[in-house]
């Protein structure tokens, strides 16, 4: 009787297994060489044996269910390559490895890309699944035995995630602040299993009323205050608020090694930013995940995990900035010329109180930089839509999230390149030319907006730093960042999150607000509007013992003026001693724990913190304009 795995009628069963595992080993060697050459992304050399072993075990499990050796080779190669390539791309672009949350968010790849990029994204996700189904011998008993073993493993993982996490952390290591090192010390299969167990173990029940009261008390030092009870006051704000979120907007003159031929930023913007005291916003993300910046500037709570909060953390209607202003009689508009459901924005915007959401189908796509609508066209169309409302007495919250300026910084024929960079700095040159037009289109819009609404409060900022090359390339040549997160100094972490921030207080002009973490911005804006009503945006406004605390996944930056230090959990920064600022870090950790508890209660729990707040429901509607096809390359 011939073995069902036989490559031919004469191949011995043991030889078939040997060939299958040899194929996995050969693939592994070639894959690591390719990742090192093209992405400079690999596990540590000491990790290779365990990583190869994990791949071989996974390969053996798959071969045990395979119809034939050729089918196994094809399906396994595509599956392993897709996972390895996806991990390398995320590490090189965002500086973090693949996590279980990325599989939930993978569907957004189909909304983000066009043309060959869209086809590639579909292929990376669909091909492994299709080929696995084609490979598996569904009518064989051995297949169901292997699936039973796999199911038992999944069941144990779900039943005992905390125990598994503890064992794996002790065996393979874990860094709370250095996720790239976690991948490097484990390898990809072990990393994914370990982080899946961690995610499952961190799923907590919503906080109780007692826990919420304790958190409020620890933040306010006042027992049982009605902090969040909103009452209508006679001095409600009446000025319009315009918030412009600028895709990847940053100051590239710091890239000295790129030798830019001219300053990309409009001189008028330079003057405006100088008048605003060169204020900076401190973002929770680098290179992407704009939705986390949005959550902070709209709801006033920090994002502390490496996933998109709009996706799974925002499950309840909440009195964020749009709903808070709507309670005072504001019309609330959100504009973003991207696909409406990207990062779950349709649901997220509705839950935080936006009345109207204009997405790509609601704009005339008349000035495209490949798939990105130009800022000039976006601003013009937003003003046209707001014009009737601006003429009325009802105030407006006008929230605009731009799309032009997104990676990989394409320009159309109307926007020829005007700035050059040093040889080998092509992506920096592309970004600089994009910023050249982006800053000028912004200033043209500001001139018109201030003319039409001279008393309006205007705030604008970059959502995060731009991606300029794999492993922080573009920044490393100028000494701004290191190629590995483990080599970052405290100052580098601050550089990683700083973007320009400009606040224009109506006829007073630009005001210096200093450097603010994004979650601190909503309360400051309400103060400038003269809105003294209590709000949830006050809760995280004042961290302890430091002017600013910028929490990031696994660590926090404590910022005092120009100085910065880091709290990295139980780990010490280079040169740090056990007692140097342990007290401040403990206080910051306690504060952050209380804030996280309130965030869980307000956005996914029972909302005990709202006490007797009964805000009226706000009707949410998407603009019902005629849909227009989105052009593709």
């Amino acid at each position: 009787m011939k073995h069902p795995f036989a490559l031919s009628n004469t191949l011995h069963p043991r030889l078939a297994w040997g060939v299958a595992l040899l194929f996995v080993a050969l693939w592994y060697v070639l894959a690591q060489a390719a990742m090192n050459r093209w992405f400079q992304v690999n596990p540590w050399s000491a990790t290779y044996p365990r990583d190869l072993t994990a791949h071989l075990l996974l390969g053996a499990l798959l071969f045990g269910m395979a119809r034939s050796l050729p089918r196994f080779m094809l399906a396994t190669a595509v599956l392993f390559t897709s996972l390895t390539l996806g991990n390398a791309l995320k590490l090189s672009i965002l500086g973090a490895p693949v996590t279980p949350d990325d599989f939930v968010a993978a569907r957004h790849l189909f909304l983000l890309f066009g043309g060959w990029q869209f086809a590639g994204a579909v292929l990376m996700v669909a091909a492994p699944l299709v080929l696995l189904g084609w490979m598996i011998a569904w009518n064989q008993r051995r297949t169901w035995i292997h699936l039973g073993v796999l199911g038992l493993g999944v069941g144990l993982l779900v039943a005992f995630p905390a125990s598994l996490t503890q064992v794996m952390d002790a065996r393979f290591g874990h860094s709370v602040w250095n996720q790239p090192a976690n991948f490097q010390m484990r390898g990809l299969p072990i990393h994914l299993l370990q982080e899946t167990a961690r995610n499952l173990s961190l799923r907590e029940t919503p906080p109780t009323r007692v826990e919420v009261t304790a958190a409020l008390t620890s933040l306010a030092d006042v027992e049982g205050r009605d902090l969040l009870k909103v009452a209508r006051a006679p001095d409600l704000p009446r000025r319009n608020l315009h918030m412009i979120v600028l895709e990847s907007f940053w100051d590239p003159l710091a890239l000295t090694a790129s030798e830019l031929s001219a300053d990309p930023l409009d001189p008028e913007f330079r003057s405006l930013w100088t008048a605003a005291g060169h204020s900076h916003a401190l973002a929770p993300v680098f290179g992407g995940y704009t939705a986390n910046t949005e959550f902070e500037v709209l709801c006033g709570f920090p994002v502390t995990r490496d996933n998109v909060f709009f996706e799974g953390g925002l499950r309840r209607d909440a009195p964020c900035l749009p709903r808070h202003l709507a309670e005072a009689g504001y019309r609330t508009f959100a504009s973003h010329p991207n696909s409406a459901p990207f990062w779950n924005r349709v649901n997220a915007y509705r839950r935080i109180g936006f009345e109207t959401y204009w997405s790509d189908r609601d704009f005339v796509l008349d000035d495209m930089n490949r798939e990105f609508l130009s800022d000039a066209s976006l601003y013009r169309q937003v003003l046209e839509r707001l014009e009737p409302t601006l003429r009325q007495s009802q105030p407006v919250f006008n929230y605009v999230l731009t799309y032009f300026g997104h990676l990989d910084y394409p320009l159309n024929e109307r926007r020829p390149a005007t700035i050059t960079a040093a040889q080998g700095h092509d992506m920096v040159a592309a970004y600089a030319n994009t910023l050249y037009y982006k800053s000028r289109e912004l200033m043209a819009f500001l001139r018109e907006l201030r003319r039409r609404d001279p008393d309006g409060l205007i705030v604008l900022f970059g959502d995060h730093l731009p991606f300029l090359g794999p492993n922080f390339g573009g920044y490393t040549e100028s000494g701004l960042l290191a190629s590995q997160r483990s080599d970052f100094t405290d100052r580098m972490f601050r550089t990683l999150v700083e973007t320009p921030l400009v606040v224009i207080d109506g006829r007073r002009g630009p005001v210096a607000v200093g450097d603010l973490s994004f979650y601190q911005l909503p309360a400051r804006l309400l103060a400038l509007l003269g809105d003294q009503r209590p709000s949830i945006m006050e809760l995280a406004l004042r961290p302890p013992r430091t002017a600013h605390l910028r929490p990031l996944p696994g660590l926090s930056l404590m910022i005092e003026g120009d100085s910065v230090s880091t709290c990295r959990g139980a780990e010490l920064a280079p040169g740090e001693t056990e007692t140097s600022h342990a007290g401040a870090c403990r206080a910051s950790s306690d504060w952050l724990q209380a804030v996280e508890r309130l965030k869980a209660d307000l956005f996914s729990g029972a909302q005990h913190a709202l006490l007797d707040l009964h805000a009226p429901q706000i009707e949410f509607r998407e603009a019902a304009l005629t849909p227009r096809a989105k052009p593709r390359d």
Side-chain angles (χ1 to χ4, degrees), residues 101 134 147 325 327 336 454 466 493 569:
D101 292 308
W134 170 74
L147 288 175
L325 291 175
E327 171 68 9
H336 180 44
F493 275 112

Side-chain angles (χ1 to χ4, degrees), residues 203-429:
R203 290 183 179 178
E204 301 174 350
T205 57
T208 64
R209 181 180 291 276
V210 172
E211 292 172 327
V212 170
T213 300
L216 283 169
T217 302
S218 69
L219 293 178
D221 292 326
V222 177
E223 182 71 32
R225 66 172 180 170
D226 287 339
L227 175 67
L228 304 174
K229 188 178 292 184
V230 175
R232 293 187 178 274
D235 57 346
L236 295 178
R238 303 302 299 175
R239 287 199 296 158
N240 297 322
L241 172 60
H242 305 276
M243 182 180 289
I244 301 104
V245 186
L246 300 162
E247 172 65 43
S248 301
F249 195 82
W250 182 70
D251 183 3
L253 279 190
L255 302 172
T256 54
S258 295
E259 300 176 2
L260 296 177
S261 60
D263 183 358
L265 290 176
D266 188 332
E268 190 177 351
F269 176 81
R270 287 278 181 200
S271 299
L272 181 69
W273 193 21
T274 299
H278 284 101
S279 299
H280 287 90
L282 308 176
V285 290
F286 169 85
Y289 283 22
T290 297
N292 283 345
T293 291
E294 291 188 85
F295 172 74
E296 291 201 355
V297 300
L298 293 171
C299 294
F301 280 81
V303 176
T304 59
R305 294 186 61 185
D306 187 22
N307 57 12
V308 177
F309 194 81
F310 275 3
E311 281 283 306
L314 184 55
R315 302 174 184 174
R316 299 294 304 274
D317 292 351
C320 294
L321 186 60
R323 178 162 281 117
H324 181 84
L325 291 175
E327 171 68 9
Y330 275 65
R331 297 287 305 278
T332 56
F333 301 92
S335 302
H336 180 44
N338 190 5
S339 179
F342 196 81
W343 290 142
N344 198 32
R345 285 190 175 99
V346 172
N347 293 320
Y349 285 172
R350 171 182 54 81
R351 286 170 178 155
I352 64 178
F354 277 116
E355 177 186 4
T356 301
Y357 172 23
W358 290 316
S359 62
D360 61 344
R361 67 182 183 178
D362 304 312
F363 291 98
V364 179
L365 305 180
D366 56 358
D367 184 10
M368 303 296 292
N369 298 276
R370 210 169 60 204
E371 65 265 38
F372 308 118
L373 181 65
S374 73
D375 286 354
S377 178
L378 171 63
Y379 295 147
R380 186 193 73 248
Q381 294 185 64
V382 168
L383 279 178
E384 289 171 355
R385 295 167 189 273
L386 289 179
E387 180 65 28
T389 308
L390 290 176
R391 292 178 179 177
Q392 300 171 1
S393 59
Q394 187 175 18
V396 169
F397 176 30
N398 169 35
Y399 175 78
V400 181
L401 174 60
T402 70
Y403 200 21
F404 174 55
H406 199 284
L407 184 71
D408 53 353
Y409 318 120
L411 297 174
N412 61 23
E413 64 280 359
R414 304 183 194 179
R415 296 173 177 84
T418 62
I419 297 175
T420 61
Q423 186 175 4
H425 292 238
D426 295 341
M427 186 168 288
V428 172

